[in-house]
Amino acid sequence: MAIRVAVDAMGGDHAPNEIVEGAVRALKSSEGRIHIQLCGPKKIIQSILDTYGPLSGIEILHAPQVIGMGDSPVAAVRSKRKSSIHVGLTHHKESYSDAFISAGNTGAIGAASLFVLGRLAGVFRPSIPTLFPTTDGLCTILDVGSNMDSRPEHLLQFAKMGSAYARIIMDIAQPRIGLLSVGEEPAKGNELVRSTHELLVNALELNFIGNIEGRDIFHKKADVVVCDGFVGNVILKLAESLMTALPEMIHQELQELKPDNATLDLIKTMLSGLARRFDPEHNGGGSPLLGVEGEVLIMHGSATAGAVEQCIILAAQIAKANLTSEIQRALVP
């Protein structure tokens, strides 16, 4: 039976065209393994789908309202019960969909997920991880922005949820858990980090390797890097800026060196390969909201059709593996 993925067709900077194109691409590449449910105004979505010719495996879930990027998340969730986000999540809640993805208003997705699906038993706060490129494949960092103020017990849960996520997505039996700090010694860091370190040491079910520093992330000293959402979001945005600043810096150096065309082509090829490592299209396209009672994935607001395609495929993988159940088991004392 095909995995059913509900997709918010109206969420993101390039919706609905890029979202629909990504859905069509995912449908074709999945070869019948994925059934896609596009959420949004039926006439708008159908007019775009018609440009692709006859398609089997895509349906439209009519949702006449749209939550904009500038809308207040809580207010929008309460007042727009027929939005593409709300309709998709409700479909998932009622088991008509196996997963839900959106590139829309992140706050609204989180608030609506809690309102419609609810938290998993025992979860303090849901968390958003991201797959981060390193010199040796990918690592997982969490939280990257959903929790700006966290307590030690929150970070302990992030570690447990991140470990379960890494086991499924990265296929690592015992993921190495590292706590991000300003030094490797247990006494280093602020009060939050020091208290969290003590909790992680006593969490014998985790493969906790101790504190790691920011410079260790790119060298993959840990498979899962744990931090609060404020620090995690700074890391995420710094990494995003790296791929715009680095080419500019290299271009400035090239103007001084004036290389020949062959060398210039080689440098361009190298930069293209490096950019690929940071491209969401090649890192799953989106991130799950861990800790809610369902499989919800959030994409960047600027998601392209390629990122949407990859996120749909990732959502199907997560749904098939039943990540929510794995998270729940990881949280059981």
Side-chain angles (χ1 to χ4, degrees):
M1 182 179 176
I3 300 294
R4 303 160 301 175
V5 179
V7 180
D8 173 13
M10 307 308 292
D13 301 334
H14 308 301
N17 294 75
E18 287 286 314
I19 309 298
V20 174
E21 180 185 341
V24 172
R25 287 168 56 168
L27 178 72
K28 293 179 178 178
S29 64
S30 71
E31 299 180 337
R33 295 187 297 273
I34 300 176
H35 179 83
I36 298 170
Q37 302 160 328
L38 291 171
C39 309
K42 186 170 184 177
K43 286 185 178 180
I44 294 176
I45 297 173
Q46 189 63 62
S47 66
I48 301 172
L49 281 177
D50 288 343
T51 64
Y52 293 95
L55 291 169
S56 176
I58 291 184
E59 66 175 303
I60 300 173
L61 305 180
H62 181 55
Q65 296 177 313
V66 176
I67 296 177
M69 291 299 202
D71 286 352
S72 166
V74 175
V77 169
R78 289 175 177 171
S79 62
K80 296 184 177 181
R81 300 292 181 88
K82 295 183 180 179
S83 70
S84 51
I85 291 175
H86 203 286
V87 167
L89 286 169
T90 300
H91 227 65
H92 184 27
K93 171 71 172 179
E94 295 174 351
S95 299
Y96 296 116
S97 304
D98 300 304
F100 171 75
I101 74 170
S102 175
N105 185 315
T106 300
I109 299 167
S113 296
L114 289 173
F115 180 76
V116 177
L117 303 175
R119 288 186 182 90
L120 281 173
V123 169
F124 296 117
R125 294 181 180 178
S127 176
I128 301 176
T130 190
L131 293 173
F132 202 80
T134 74
T135 55
D136 185 24
L138 299 170
C139 74
T140 298
I141 300 179
L142 74 168
D143 184 82
V144 292
S146 58
N147 298 282
M148 293 300 173
D149 297 297
S150 299
R151 300 197 298 268
E153 56 268 31
H154 299 158
L155 267 61
L156 173 61
Q157 283 197 344
F158 297 167
K160 292 180 178 180
M161 293 192 291
S163 182
Y165 179 57
R167 286 197 299 271
I168 289 176
I169 300 303
M170 300 165 66
D171 195 26
I172 303 173
Q174 290 186 307
R176 297 166 300 164
I177 311 295
L179 177 62
L180 193 60
S181 184
V182 294
E184 295 182 353
E185 300 84 357
K188 288 290 184 71
N190 56 20
E191 183 178 348
L192 172 63
V193 171
R194 294 195 302 271
S195 298
T196 301
H197 186 281
E198 184 177 351
L199 292 179
L200 289 172
V201 166
N202 293 316
L204 301 181
E205 71 276 19
L206 294 175
N207 182 17
F208 179 52
I209 62 170
N211 288 351
I212 66 167
E213 299 179 63
R215 62 187 176 189
D216 298 321
I217 296 175
F218 279 116
H219 295 287
K220 202 180 181 181
K221 186 171 181 179
D223 301 304
V224 177
V225 179
V226 178
C227 57
D228 67 84
F230 182 88
V231 172
N233 196 260
V234 170
I235 294 171
L236 181 63
K237 298 298 173 57
L238 178 63
E240 289 176 351
S241 71
L242 181 65
M243 290 321 300
T244 55
L246 190 59
E248 184 177 341
M249 292 176 181
I250 292 175
H251 177 71
Q252 292 168 351
E253 293 297 322
L254 290 176
Q255 287 182 318
E256 297 291 329
L257 296 173
K258 295 181 173 59
D260 56 47
N261 289 336
T263 303
L264 189 60
D265 288 341
L266 183 63
I267 292 172
K268 287 180 179 178
T269 301
M270 177 197 70
L271 282 174
S272 177
L274 184 60
R276 181 184 176 91
R277 297 191 186 194
F278 287 83
D279 192 337
E281 290 191 18
H282 304 286
N283 292 331
S287 300
L289 182 61
L290 305 179
V292 297
E293 190 70 70
E295 316 297 359
V296 177
L297 287 90
I298 301 173
M299 295 180 287
H300 198 285
S302 61
T304 61
V308 174
E309 176 188 7
Q310 291 304 309
C311 192
I312 291 173
I313 293 171
L314 177 62
Q317 179 186 355
I318 284 174
K320 186 175 181 179
N322 203 345
L323 176 61
T324 297
S325 294
E326 290 298 315
I327 295 290
Q328 188 70 84
R329 278 194 285 271
L331 296 175
V332 175

